[in-house]
Amino acid sequence: MSEGTLQMDQTIDNVEHDAVTRKLESQAVRNFKVPETTIKNLKVMLGIGALAAFVGLVFQRENLWASLLVNAYYLIGLGLGAIFFICINYVAASGWSVVTRRVSEAMTGIIPIGALGIGIVLLAGYDIYPAFGEEEHLTGFKALWLRYDFVLVRAVVYIAIWFYFTRAILTNSRQQDHDGNRSHTQKNARLSALFIVLFSLAAWLSSFDWIMSLEPHWFSTIFGVYCFSGFFSSSIAVTIILLVWLQKQGALNGIVTDEHLHDLGKLLFAFTTFWAYIWFSQYMLIWYSDMPEETNYFIVRTGTVWGPLFIFNILLNWLVPFFVLMPARTKRNMGILVKVAIVVLVGHWLDLYLMVYPAISPDTIKFGLVEIGLPIGALGLYGLVTLKKLSEHPLVPIKDPYLQESLHHHQ
Amino acid sequence: MAEYGHHTEEPTVYGLIAEFDDSDNLLHAAEAAYKAGYRTMDAYSPLPIHGLSEAIGFKKTYVSLITLIGGITGAATGFGMQYFASVIHYDYDIGGKPFNSWPSFMPITFELAILFGAFAALGSMLALNGLPRHHHPVFNAKRFERASSDGFFLCIESEDLQYDTEATKKFLEEQGPVEVSEVLDD
């Protein structure tokens, strides 16, 4: 194997090799600056979002909390998908993904902010959860599990797990930039293995607590996997968009190549199909067993009011990425790949909207100022936080032991 | 090709093979050969070399298209059989559900799409590359066993339209090989 790797390295022309080395030492990689106009645009978007939130607070409070839940869960999901991607790469000792890791690391910066949004919903907007009110009478284990104070305690536990493990893994990764010590990689592999287990439990249970409990009589054990498949494919979509953007900025061109993006395209293809698989598994079992407390969820969503959006959701989240990304050449065409990534991101937002809104308003579609303004603000906030994190450290883990393998990655 | 166990009077020539001592030389020779107009050739190396298949002009095969057709056929078969059974041939009320209960047909539709797709991929791959076979003329080449350890080979086959024993040999010798030799057909 080592002999083979040596031979492979020799096939890389020296000229090309020098160019990559120079690029790694360049200011664009070591000290990336976000363009002023981008920051300005993102701030304007954040302003629009803040304005919409204020209007919502005064006039449409229920809409505001529901919309805040959708967008906060969307944001925290993007961060969780990114740290999960980092972890599976550490556990699998994968070399190819190393040049993409700093982008994933920057994407985890949104976790505390998403958690703050969820916290506001749970503390101030808990009226949208029937289980915490007076009129809903739950019995047995469900009554105990959905006790308001117990839900709050669990939320703190989930967020603490995500936050502290993410911080520990990122600290090791950044420390390696200075000392180049291989032990950081080993430590992170161990941390990642443990974290994947805890992360999965927390992600699964949190989706029950924060979203499924909007309709407390309905239940679906696969719901956590369904939420995970949605946010994981979206986080791959964001990774693709950010990498292509950084190439266009002249920062990662020559380092992140079509080979890396082709592989991310394959993951996007695979995980959108995984989403469809889980979506269908949930739908078919409920449809087939046809029990009143389960079927109601889909009766509302496939009815005349929400039905068209229900179909549109499958189109965006699966049919488009599946058929467009099937041939190899579309996954190597950055224009097409980025457009599909955007479709998946819009689709995932619609997916969350369809989980939350029909529960609050089964008979009418609510889509107004708050529902348009908050996602714009969320996008602005996400951009500001993620790009700030990106500019704090070199865009590539410069002393990672697998860096050379990643730079010379070929199919 | 002579039958096994018989010897023809004059063995035919399969092609000319050049051995190189590293992957870079092989890659450059392959590029030069393609530029010189040679098309029927193959390269042999103990490790994957990026860009080599492009260098010898390897085209995308029909395997992916045949696999897609196989998958669609499988899905249609799976759905069709269930539709025929539960709607046309033996319409039976199960749990008050419609005869054409398409969501419950999906798992088998999906499975048969995978099954037929996998068969089509494997079958078309074997049919198009001619495997399995017990022998190949290139095994007659001198020191060819090194193609699985440290030898890098480029073989221009005699079927190539531009093949000429003298000119091709001269061309290969100019590419800096360790050795150029003739490969006999069996």
Side-chain angles (χ1 to χ4, degrees), chain A residues 3-4 7-8 10-13 259 277 280 283-284 287-290 326 410-411, chain B residues 22-24 28 47-50 68 94 97-98 101-104 106-107 110 152:
Chain A
E3 209 182 329
Q7 292 279 15
M8 282 290 287
Q10 285 172 359
T11 65
I12 307 286
D13 284 339
E259 310 285 334
Y277 179 70
F280 186 75
Y283 176 79
M284 192 195 68
W287 171 86
Y288 199 85
S289 60
D290 205 15
M326 196 186 279
H410 297 296
Q411 300 284 323
Chain B
D22 79 29
S23 55
D24 246 4
H28 291 144
L47 49 99
I49 299 169
H50 180 65
L68 178 66
I94 299 166
K97 290 195 159 51
S101 286
W102 66 267
S104 67
M106 281 300 129
F110 172 72
F152 299 84

Side-chain angles (χ1 to χ4, degrees), chain B residues 101-164:
Chain B
S101 286
W102 66 267
S104 67
F105 298 168
M106 281 300 129
I108 290 170
T109 305
F110 172 72
E111 295 298 341
L112 283 197
I114 304 282
L115 184 71
F116 281 39
F119 278 148
L122 182 69
S124 62
M125 182 271 286
L126 292 176
L128 291 172
N129 67 13
L131 284 174
R133 58 192 298 176
H134 66 280
H135 190 66
H136 189 280
V138 81
F139 293 150
N140 295 335
K142 250 165 93 184
R143 312 209 306 161
F144 190 72
E145 68 280 2
R146 304 193 70 161
S148 54
S149 57
D150 62 349
F152 299 84
F153 294 86
L154 180 69
C155 182
I156 298 183
E157 292 160 28
S158 57
E159 278 177 21
D160 193 284
L161 293 174
Q162 217 179 296
Y163 184 84
D164 175 88

